[in-house]
Amino acid sequence: MALNYSSIDDDGAFSFRNLERNSKLEKMGLKMPSFRKTGTTIVGVTTRDCVILAADTRATSDTIVMEKNCEKIHYIGKYMHCCGAGTAADTMQVTRMVSANVSLQAFKFPDEMVPVVFAARSLRQYLFKYMGYVSAALILGGIDDNGSHLYSIYPHGSIDKLPYISMGSGSMAAISELESRWNENLTEEEGMKLACDAILAGVFNDLGSGSNVDLCIIKRDGTRMLRNYLTPNKKPATSKYIYPAGLTKVLAKSEIKFQITEETVMEVDA
Amino acid sequence: MDTVIDRGAPKARNFEPYASNGGSIVAISGKDFVIVASDTRLSEGYMIYTRKQSKLFQLSDKSVLGCTGCWCDTLSLTNIIQSQLKSYLHDHNTIMQPGSIAQLLSTLLYSRRFFPYYVYNVLAGLNENGEGCLYSYDPVGHCEKVSYTAGGSSGVLMQPFLDSWLGKRTVDSPVSEEEALNLVKDAFTAAGERDIYTGDEVVYNIIKKDGIKSGVVQLRKD
C-alpha cells in the first residue's frame, strides 16, 4: 500500500507537505537536488577498560569530494560520543538533539553518569518514528555506572550491542580488520591501533571514504578526542598560480546612493 | 482438462552493457611536442579495481591514444585500431600519420552510432611536419582538433584550469614542454583532491621527434 504522505501531521520536526507533489514532479522528469552523503568508514571498538571510536573525514556528494576534513565523531555527553554515517545533515541533527537530552538528564541526576542506553534508546525511537527517512547510521559508544557500552543504530531504528562495530560504505573493508584482530583483552594502545587500521582500510579501499583518521577514546577518567590523529593523505605540492587582479573586464558601473532617513543609537549593557 | 500455467504479468529483464570505470586524461600540444597523461586508477562504484592501469595506448612511435570510460569498450576499441594500423602498415609499408588515425577513429566510433563504445578518446601525435597535434572525441565519433584538452571523470574539473592558463596563448607565445608538464601534473593533483575516481598515479607520455619519453607522478591513494 502506498503511503499517503499528505495525511501525516506536520506537528513533528518535519513537514511532509511537498512529498506527494515532489514525487509527481519526479515522475515528470524533475531531477531532485542531491544531499551531502558522507560515504563513510566509522568503527567502534571496546577494549579492557575503554571504548574507542574512529572515523574518516571525507564528505562526498555523488563523485565529488565536498569536504576533505569533516568531523564525523559527534559529542553526545561527557562520557559518550557517536560516529555518524549517512546523510550529513541527519547525523548532525540527530546527535545534537540527543546530546541536548543527555545534558538535561545529567542536570536532573547530577550524582550519576547518564546511562548510555538512554541515548541509544532515544536515537532508536526517533529513527524508528521516521521509518528510515532520517538516514543516520550511527555507532554510539560510552561509559556509565554499569560499564562500557557500544551500540550500532541503523536508520530504520534497529540496534545491536556489540564489542566491535563498523558502519558506512567502508564497513566491509573495516570489519575485515576488526574480525581478524579483535579480542576481549586488548589494551588501550592495541585498541587504538586496531581502530586506526580499520579506518585506514576504508580510507584506501573505499572511494567514499578518505583523508584523515579521527579518534575518540572514552575512559572512566575522561574522554580524549584526537582530531586528525592520522593524516596519511596530504596534498602534493603544486606550483603557485597567481591570477593578476583586474582580469575580469568591468563593462558598466552604476552607483546607488542610500538616503539615511533615520538614525537610532541603542546602548547595550556590558 | 488443460492445465493453465499462470506466468503472471510479463517482466522485462534488463541488461546493462555499460560500466563506468572512471579515470581522467589531460593532453597539451606544443610546437614540437605533445604531452598526453592519464591517471592509473580503475574503479567502479565505490570500489578500486586496480591502482596501476595506465589508460594510454601507444599506437606508433608518433602517436598515443588516451581512453577513459567503460574499460571493456576501451580494450575492444584499442584492439581494433591496433589491428587496423597493422594492416595499414603491411599494405602501405609506412605507419599511419596521426591525422589519418584521427579520421579512422572517428569512422570507427560513428559506425557504432546506436550502440556506441562508451569511451572518451584523446589522440595525441606528431604530424608530418613534426608539430604536436591533438584530437578530442566524444563517444560517437565527433572529432575536434584542439591544442589542449581534459577528459574523463575529472574532465569538467580540469578543463577550466587549462582554459585559464592556455586559452589565450597565441602562436607568438607557445607553451613550453616544461610548463606544459607542470600544468598536467598540477591539474591531476587538483583533480585527485576532489574527484573520487581520479587518484593513485599519473603516467605521462611526451611525444617528440626523437621518441616518446614517459614518467610517473604520485597522487593521493584514498
Side-chain angles (χ1 to χ4, degrees):
Chain A
M1 194 194 82
L3 217 109
N4 185 9
Y5 293 107
S6 50
S7 69
I8 301 175
D9 293 334
D10 275 358
D11 53 5
F14 301 117
S15 167
F16 293 92
R17 223 169 267 175
N18 287 335
L19 227 62
E20 210 162 83
R21 180 203 67 173
N22 289 353
S23 71
K24 275 182 187 149
L25 284 172
E26 259 179 288
K27 266 186 205 139
M28 288 161 71
L30 177 83
K31 211 176 166 295
M32 292 304 259
S34 68
F35 308 123
R36 188 169 301 182
K37 293 268 227 178
T38 48
T40 297
T41 310
I42 48 175
V43 300
V45 178
T46 53
T47 67
R48 254 192 330 228
D49 46 18
C50 62
V51 179
I52 298 168
L53 299 173
D56 74 311
T57 68
R58 174 181 280 187
T60 52
S61 178
D62 199 14
T63 67
I64 296 292
V65 178
M66 299 304 288
E67 172 63 54
K68 288 186 271 193
N69 197 15
C70 69
E71 265 193 84
K72 298 183 188 180
I73 306 181
H74 307 276
Y75 175 91
I76 299 288
K78 208 172 162 196
Y79 295 96
M80 252 189 270
H81 273 71
C82 186
C83 298
T87 301
D90 287 335
T91 58
M92 281 178 78
Q93 198 61 29
V94 142
T95 50
R96 269 168 56 118
M97 279 161 43
V98 171
S99 165
N101 286 333
V102 164
S103 61
L104 282 177
Q105 190 76 1
F107 285 129
K108 243 189 225 171
F109 303 98
D111 300 331
E112 47 197 272
M113 296 165 93
V114 182
V116 181
V117 73
F118 172 85
R121 184 190 278 235
S122 24
L123 286 167
R124 169 175 60 114
Q125 287 179 342
Y126 184 82
L127 293 175
F128 181 77
K129 186 167 84 178
Y130 285 104
M131 302 181 298
Y133 285 100
V134 175
S135 52
L138 307 163
I139 296 178
L140 174 71
I143 281 179
D144 59 24
D145 294 326
N146 297 316
S148 57
H149 309 273
L150 188 64
Y151 293 97
S152 69
I153 307 161
Y154 286 83
H156 287 263
S158 66
I159 270 198
D160 293 307
K161 189 172 192 297
L162 296 163
Y164 56 92
I165 303 164
S166 75
M167 275 186 135
S169 57
S171 61
M172 279 79 96
I175 201 72
S176 63
E177 288 282 351
L178 300 181
E179 285 282 4
S180 63
R181 283 167 51 192
W182 187 88
N183 64 71
E184 52 270 279
N185 293 317
L186 288 176
T187 63
E188 186 184 332
E189 285 71 35
E190 287 169 337
M192 284 165 69
K193 179 89 173 59
L194 177 57
C196 283
D197 287 349
I199 295 298
L200 287 176
V203 161
F204 288 115
N205 298 301
D206 169 44
L207 290 177
S209 314
S211 293
N212 310 317
V213 181
D214 286 352
L215 211 55
C216 180
I217 299 117
I218 306 168
K219 281 209 307 196
R220 205 152 282 280
D221 52 347
T223 302
R224 271 192 300 156
M225 180 71 205
L226 304 172
R227 174 91 168 122
N228 291 354
Y229 181 67
L230 296 177
T231 51
N233 290 297
K234 295 202 179 69
K235 187 185 175 187
T238 55
S239 316
K240 286 260 181 301
Y241 291 89
I242 297 153
Y243 291 84
L247 264 184
T248 309
K249 213 165 144 190
V250 179
L251 297 175
K253 268 187 190 175
S254 76
E255 214 170 294
I256 301 168
K257 284 233 167 79
F258 289 110
Q259 270 191 325
I260 299 165
T261 53
E262 201 185 304
E263 268 189 65
T264 319
V265 180
M266 270 170 79
E267 262 184 51
V268 182
D269 298 336
Chain B
M1 217 176 97
D2 291 340
T3 354
V4 181
I5 303 166
D6 182 17
R7 292 192 171 86
K11 280 181 203 134
R13 295 268 176 241
N14 281 331
F15 168 55
E16 291 283 340
Y18 294 125
S20 178
N21 299 114
S24 306
I25 305 274
V26 170
I28 299 173
S29 70
K31 222 171 155 206
D32 58 349
F33 71 94
V34 57
I35 299 181
V36 58
S38 83
D39 70 326
T40 61
R41 177 176 290 179
L42 200 70
S43 48
E44 191 174 356
Y46 274 157
M47 190 156 65
I48 296 172
Y49 285 150
T50 174
R51 299 181 196 274
K52 284 196 174 291
Q53 179 58 62
S54 164
K55 290 147 191 116
L56 304 179
F57 297 85
Q58 191 180 336
L59 301 180
S60 72
D61 55 0
K62 282 206 179 97
S63 47
V64 172
L65 180 66
C67 311
T68 64
C70 177
W71 184 243
C72 66
D73 282 3
T74 296
L75 291 177
S76 187
L77 183 71
T78 49
N79 261 329
I80 291 167
I81 295 168
Q82 267 157 347
S83 73
Q84 293 251 7
L85 291 182
K86 199 169 265 181
S87 300
Y88 183 95
L89 176 66
H90 294 319
D91 288 348
H92 300 88
N93 201 28
T94 173
I95 63 159
M96 203 188 270
Q97 292 297 329
S100 311
I101 302 176
Q103 185 53 48
L104 168 71
L105 181 54
S106 179
T107 312
L108 251 169
L109 288 168
Y110 197 77
S111 73
R112 298 287 296 264
R113 172 62 180 79
F114 295 108
F115 186 15
Y117 289 109
Y118 178 31
V119 185
Y120 292 88
N121 290 291
V122 173
L123 177 67
L126 285 187
N127 67 12
E128 296 89 330
N129 306 321
E131 298 158 341
C133 58
L134 212 53
Y135 301 88
S136 160
Y137 295 82
D138 76 347
V140 286
H142 169 259
C143 168
E144 195 151 357
K145 195 170 188 305
V146 291
S147 56
Y148 60 90
T149 187
S153 61
S154 286
V156 289
L157 275 72
M158 297 191 282
Q159 187 72 42
F161 168 67
L162 297 180
D163 285 339
S164 75
W165 283 93
L166 299 169
K168 284 191 173 161
R169 286 302 173 95
T170 55
V171 263
D172 306 322
S173 60
V175 61
S176 72
E177 186 188 323
E178 191 197 352
E179 189 191 353
L181 185 56
N182 272 328
L183 282 171
V184 166
K185 287 177 184 173
D186 290 351
F188 270 108
T189 304
E193 293 288 308
R194 290 291 173 181
D195 176 23
I196 64 170
Y197 293 128
T198 298
D200 294 318
E201 282 172 4
V202 180
V203 284
Y204 61 85
N205 281 181
I206 306 174
I207 311 170
K208 290 175 84 172
K209 209 159 62 188
D210 48 349
I212 298 177
K213 201 165 69 185
S214 61
V216 180
V217 183
Q218 297 300 314
L219 288 179
R220 286 167 76 115
K221 309 276 186 276
D222 64 341

